Amino acid sequence: MLPSVTFLDLETTGATPLRDRITEIALVRFDHGIETVRWQTLVNPQQPIPPFIQSLTGISDAMVADAPLFSEVADKLLALLEGSVLAAHNVRFDHGFLKSEFKRLGITLRQKVLCTVKLSRLLYPQFYSHGIDAIVSRHQITGLARHRAMGDVEAILVMLNDAKRDLGEAAVQAAAMKLMAAPTLPPHIDASMVGELPEAPGVYLFYGENDLPLYVGKSVNIRARVLSHFSSDHASTKEMRMTQEMKRFEWIPTAGEFSALLLESRLVKERQPIYNRQLRRERSLCSWQIDPLAQPQVKLVHEDEIDPSQMTQLFGTFRSKRQAIEALRKIADLSHLCVKKLGLEAGGRGPCFAYQLKRCKGVCCGQEPPEIHALRVQQALMAHKLKSWPYRGKIGIEEYSLENDVRQMHVFEHWVYLGVAEDDDRLQDLRTQKTALKFDLDSYKLLLKMLAHKKTRVHDLAD
């Protein structure tokens, strides 16, 4: 099927690589279609095996008590995998556990992988389920030790042998090669770096010549998102130009999507990457503020003038003065507001032009009391009103990623993002620091959306 492929299965104490450990390893290696190695071993996980797992696999604490530690079989396992493609059913699970175990030993595992679940889907698209149990039933496999590592490996080998018989070896090979097809990488990009990309949330950065920032992106799966840039670089002129200019990339793991969004927003503003037009800072951001006693009754407040603790009289967030005026004109027309009183038409005596068209109720010529007009202005703008801060003081939004084993607490006050804490000392610093609050539209929108989620963990940090 491939020049060298090693079919592997693991049994573990649970489903989380960062917390759980391996209890059994089994593999069968093929070189040029010929079986060359068959190896299995129990592994002492150095932690109790949960009763449910013991009943599922049949592997008990007593069975692994005298088994070798992973560190004692690591060198042999590396040698057996060397130069071979690692194939497993839901390979992300097995590969993740192996990477975690080797990482504890200070070893970075770099291994090409093949998922036999995806391979089964390509070979047998007419079937809905492609788990081991479904394969055992479909291919009428008997006599295997189900939920033991070697038994599950042998089930996959039977399925592949049946596929070669039913579909032809060429079809099996073509399906495997399709799954193994690597994206075309830009010049000067080290292919080994792609193998290190995590399937976890975070932010990634593309750099061009002389470390010029080209692009900052985020994803809940950094690996998949970065590879999508390479595989679709023909889809748009922007993508093609960016990947051609890119010389290297890096990534920063985060505790989740919210953490990634905040970090992406900050890095784009700080580094001004040339391909991030949407998030790059607009310094002309402004909002309308109502003053019933003034003439005009509304005035533009620019971002630098916004006091985050006094937002009850602010309406709308606009990227430019022109956008703000156009929006106010539409609101005035729909609500029959006076364009003179709003400052949208030059002052002077006499009614405004809208009154002559019967689109104004006459505050400009004494036909409507100014206080009534001011109330109607506030009512018309209500849908655009910025939310006041609903908490006593500072709050923390917590996220945790099992994939990264990263926990982050993001601290806010009056919609302003103060920073992120990954330990108690940093959190205490953020709780006690006093700093000028500077409004940022992106942080405001991100937090507003996050607070709307029922599962968001909000910590009151006011005390």
Side-chain angles (χ1 to χ4, degrees):
M1 185 171 66
L2 294 168
S4 179
V5 58
T6 300
F7 295 91
L8 175 142
D9 188 75
L10 305 175
E11 299 302 331
T12 65
T13 61
T16 307
L18 294 168
R19 184 179 64 239
D20 298 308
R21 304 296 293 272
I22 294 172
T23 58
E24 187 176 36
I25 306 170
L27 61 82
V28 179
R29 175 167 173 154
F30 290 82
D31 292 286
H32 303 290
I34 300 173
E35 181 180 325
T36 54
V37 178
R38 181 175 288 250
W39 177 72
Q40 62 181 322
T41 182
L42 290 170
V43 178
N44 186 335
Q46 298 179 281
Q47 62 180 239
I49 303 173
F52 170 75
I53 300 295
Q54 291 192 44
S55 64
L56 180 69
T57 65
I59 301 174
S60 65
D61 289 332
M63 290 172 62
V64 297
D66 296 323
L69 305 179
F70 184 84
S71 59
E72 296 173 316
V73 300
D75 288 342
K76 181 171 184 177
L77 180 57
L78 277 176
L80 293 175
L81 293 175
E82 185 177 3
S84 187
V85 173
L86 170 62
H89 219 60
N90 188 10
V91 73
R92 181 181 178 183
F93 176 89
D94 300 86
H95 190 222
F97 266 92
L98 290 178
K99 285 195 296 184
S100 292
E101 291 283 11
F102 280 114
K103 186 177 180 180
R104 293 184 181 101
L105 303 176
I107 299 170
T108 300
L109 180 66
R110 294 187 176 93
Q111 196 78 32
K112 290 183 178 180
V113 297
L114 173 67
C115 182
T116 52
V117 173
K118 295 179 180 179
L119 185 59
S120 177
R121 289 191 184 120
L122 284 178
L123 296 172
Y124 296 100
Q126 69 271 32
F127 297 114
Y128 176 77
S129 181
H130 296 271
I132 295 287
D133 287 334
I135 287 173
V136 167
S137 174
R138 184 184 310 143
H139 294 269
Q140 300 179 346
I141 303 172
T142 59
L144 296 180
R146 182 69 182 98
H147 295 299
R148 290 296 298 268
M150 186 57 79
D152 289 353
V153 168
E154 290 176 340
I156 299 307
L157 295 179
V158 171
M159 182 268 290
L160 290 174
N161 283 331
D162 286 353
K164 290 177 185 178
R165 182 196 65 212
D166 299 337
L167 307 172
E169 189 162 349
V172 176
Q173 183 172 354
M177 294 305 294
K178 181 178 180 179
L179 292 174
M180 290 295 298
T184 303
L185 300 180
H188 312 299
I189 295 298
D190 186 352
S192 66
M193 287 187 65
V194 174
E196 297 174 14
L197 284 166
E199 295 180 321
V203 168
Y204 58 94
L205 304 94
F206 291 167
Y207 295 94
E209 203 73 53
N210 300 319
D211 266 1
L212 173 70
L214 297 178
Y215 185 76
V216 176
K218 61 83 187 170
S219 179
V220 294
N221 185 326
I222 297 176
R223 178 180 175 82
R225 186 68 186 96
V226 170
L227 291 181
S228 73
H229 284 284
F230 301 149
S231 61
S232 64
D233 60 1
H234 60 281
S236 71
T237 303
K238 172 188 169 182
E239 288 279 352
M240 183 179 296
R241 187 166 59 245
M242 182 172 69
T243 54
Q244 286 174 346
E245 293 176 14
M246 184 173 55
K247 304 301 179 187
R248 70 176 185 89
F249 62 87
E250 62 185 25
W251 62 89
I252 304 170
T254 65
E257 185 177 17
F258 182 61
S259 304
L261 284 164
L262 289 169
L263 180 57
E264 177 195 34
S265 177
R266 178 174 67 81
L267 290 176
V268 168
K269 291 178 175 65
E270 289 178 356
R271 306 193 185 188
Q272 293 287 293
I274 61 177
Y275 289 105
N276 284 91
R277 294 178 182 174
Q278 186 173 354
L279 275 177
R280 287 167 71 172
R281 185 176 177 83
E282 298 284 351
R283 299 192 180 279
S284 55
L285 178 71
C286 47
S287 182
W288 288 111
Q289 184 177 53
I290 295 178
D291 186 346
L293 302 178
Q295 176 60 37
Q297 288 183 336
V298 297
K299 69 173 183 177
L300 270 182
V301 178
H302 293 277
E303 184 175 13
D304 293 340
E305 302 171 302
I306 293 176
D307 181 353
S309 64
Q310 303 292 328
M311 293 174 61
T312 56
Q313 293 301 312
L314 293 179
F315 299 83
T317 52
F318 307 99
R319 294 293 185 180
S320 67
K321 179 179 178 180
R322 179 179 176 180
Q323 185 187 61
I325 290 174
E326 287 178 354
L328 187 59
R329 283 191 182 279
K330 290 180 181 179
I331 292 171
D333 186 55
L334 289 171
S335 301
H336 291 198
L337 300 175
C338 179
V339 289
K340 269 191 181 181
K341 203 67 174 173
L342 294 177
L344 298 176
E345 184 179 300
R349 295 183 178 181
C352 69
F353 184 66
Y355 180 76
Q356 300 174 46
L357 299 176
K358 298 184 179 181
R359 305 294 294 177
C360 166
K361 294 189 177 182
V363 67
C364 49
C365 56
Q367 298 299 307
E368 181 184 32
E371 59 272 17
I372 298 299
H373 184 267
L375 287 173
R376 292 201 304 110
V377 170
Q378 187 152 353
Q379 185 178 23
L381 289 171
M382 190 59 65
H384 303 275
K385 185 176 182 179
L386 302 190
K387 286 184 67 70
S388 59
W389 185 240
Y391 301 98
R392 295 183 302 154
K394 295 178 181 178
I395 64 166
I397 302 293
E398 183 181 2
E399 270 195 320
Y400 175 67
S401 167
L402 281 172
E403 294 94 338
N404 287 330
D405 194 25
V406 174
R407 188 180 301 276
Q408 294 179 314
M409 181 80 76
H410 301 279
V411 180
F412 294 84
E413 184 177 14
H414 293 292
W415 305 107
V416 177
Y417 183 41
L418 302 182
V420 58
E422 295 187 8
D423 56 54
D424 291 339
D425 290 341
R426 174 59 176 158
L427 180 58
Q428 184 60 25
D429 288 343
L430 290 172
R431 290 184 68 170
T432 56
Q433 77 176 24
K434 297 184 183 300
T435 183
L437 300 180
K438 191 171 183 180
F439 181 79
D440 177 78
L441 177 60
D442 295 316
S443 298
Y444 169 76
K445 288 183 174 180
L446 288 174
L447 180 56
L448 201 62
K449 187 175 180 180
M450 192 66 175
L451 292 176
H453 293 167
K454 294 182 179 179
K455 293 184 179 180
T456 298
R457 299 185 63 184
V458 180
H459 298 260
D460 187 346
L461 306 179
D463 295 330

